[in-house]
Amino acid sequence: MGAADHASNAPVPRIVFLGPPGAGKGTQAGRLAGECGIVRISTGDMLRDNIAKGTPLGQKAAPYIDRGDLVPDDLLIGMVGERVRQKDCEAGFILDGFPRTLRQAEGLEGMEGGDSGGLLVINVEVPREELLRRLSGRRWCPTCQSTYHVYTNPPREPGICDRDGTRLIQREDDKESAVAHRLAEYDERTRPLIEYFRGRSRFHTVNGHRPVETVFAELSGIVGARA
Ligand code: AP5
């Protein structure tokens, strides 16, 4: 599938990735966005970018992110609402990391004109011990935001980004205590969205505990079948 396939009568894909930290949402959303020729909107990347630039939003969000807490709903709903109104979202978009609370889900429904029926929601499931393994080994490029894993997806030169040569870092919130808190936040505040969307949107659960290519092939099939 390419961008041109969405140009005429095909419905504009508006895709939501749900799943716990480390499920592979970012990995898969990035690939899928490239394949479909649509925009990936990662709220985690947007917030980290605001922090790096020292914007007022970034200054408010930083302490929450470092602790592994969710950033307040109003900030997220405002940030995403503004982003999806931009021109490059007219052809469709993938939301990676939003919504994460019931309030955010209702905010998204408001952006959809009060009806979540046009959303394609993909819930990625991965066992807890695998999530811990993935998050503890993840390394991240602060320049281009590429993600690596020390064992399963290492860069060509250890500790250096393949794309731009930047020294890779471990995210502050991938350290042990923050990871435990993020997973608890997911269980309490985000997992209920599975039932919320199951009744309102096109909904698929995907087993994310398989090789990246296998998961991606299934996702491509789901999204292609809809277009
Ligand atoms: P965010 O950046 O969105 O973090 P997250 O949801 O916790 O997701 P992750 O980036 O940890 O995991 P992922 O599922 O994208 O997995 P990835 O592809 O990287 O948010 C960070 C923080 O920002 C939040 O904690 C919160 O504070 C704040 N925030 C963001 N959005 C918010 C919102 N809506 N409301 C409130 N606060 C918000 O993969 C993980 C690792 O696994 C990588 O190393 C990767 O290489 C590897 N991997 C991926 N797929 C596979 C596979 N199939 N097999 C083996 N390894 C794999």
Side-chain angles (χ1 to χ4, degrees):
M1 188 193 327
D5 296 317
H6 292 299
S8 56
N9 297 326
V12 173
R14 296 185 310 288
I15 301 169
V16 173
F17 268 84
L18 289 182
K25 302 181 298 295
T27 302
Q28 298 294 341
R31 286 180 176 224
L32 204 56
E35 170 154 304
C36 297
I38 58 175
V39 179
R40 167 184 168 233
I41 301 175
S42 160
T43 45
D45 284 352
M46 288 175 81
L47 291 167
R48 283 184 288 275
D49 191 46
N50 273 277
I51 292 170
K53 290 178 176 147
T55 67
L57 172 63
Q59 286 169 16
K60 284 184 199 150
Y64 292 93
I65 293 187
D66 287 350
R67 287 194 301 267
D69 279 332
L70 293 182
V71 175
D73 289 334
D74 289 344
L75 294 180
L76 266 295
I77 293 168
M79 182 178 86
V80 173
E82 201 175 294
R83 182 67 187 88
V84 298
R85 283 196 298 274
Q86 288 173 16
K87 186 134 189 74
D88 61 352
C89 291
E90 284 175 5
F93 53 79
I94 300 178
L95 289 172
D96 165 13
F98 180 92
R100 267 173 147 107
T101 65
L102 193 52
R103 213 158 139 245
Q104 292 180 20
E106 289 165 355
L108 177 59
E109 191 160 278
M111 295 170 213
E112 290 282 303
D115 180 1
S116 297
L119 297 171
L120 173 61
V121 179
I122 295 174
N123 173 43
V124 185
E125 288 195 338
V126 171
R128 190 60 49 114
E129 58 284 5
E130 171 69 4
L131 296 175
L132 293 171
R133 197 181 64 81
R134 288 185 187 180
L135 293 171
S136 61
R138 175 164 58 186
R139 297 295 180 269
W140 179 70
C141 174
T143 303
C144 71
Q145 302 175 335
S146 293
T147 295
Y148 300 85
H149 190 279
V150 286
Y151 300 123
T152 58
N153 180 25
R156 284 192 294 274
E157 187 183 341
I160 303 294
C161 180
D162 291 346
R163 286 197 185 169
D164 54 33
T166 302
R167 183 162 294 283
L168 301 177
I169 58 170
Q170 183 175 35
R171 278 170 38 180
E172 204 51 46
D173 63 343
D174 277 347
K175 296 182 177 160
E176 207 175 322
S177 62
V179 164
H181 191 56
R182 283 163 67 200
L183 290 168
E185 285 276 81
Y186 169 79
D187 285 338
E188 188 184 333
R189 302 181 66 191
T190 308
R191 192 189 286 282
L193 298 189
I194 294 174
E195 285 316 312
Y196 178 88
F197 281 116
R198 210 196 290 276
R200 291 164 201 257
S201 307
R202 292 180 55 110
F203 186 91
H204 291 263
T205 289
V206 168
N207 172 9
H209 192 196
R210 295 176 295 169
V212 170
E213 291 303 334
T214 310
V215 178
F216 182 63
E218 182 174 349
L219 292 174
S220 295
I222 291 170
V223 174
R226 179 175 192 263

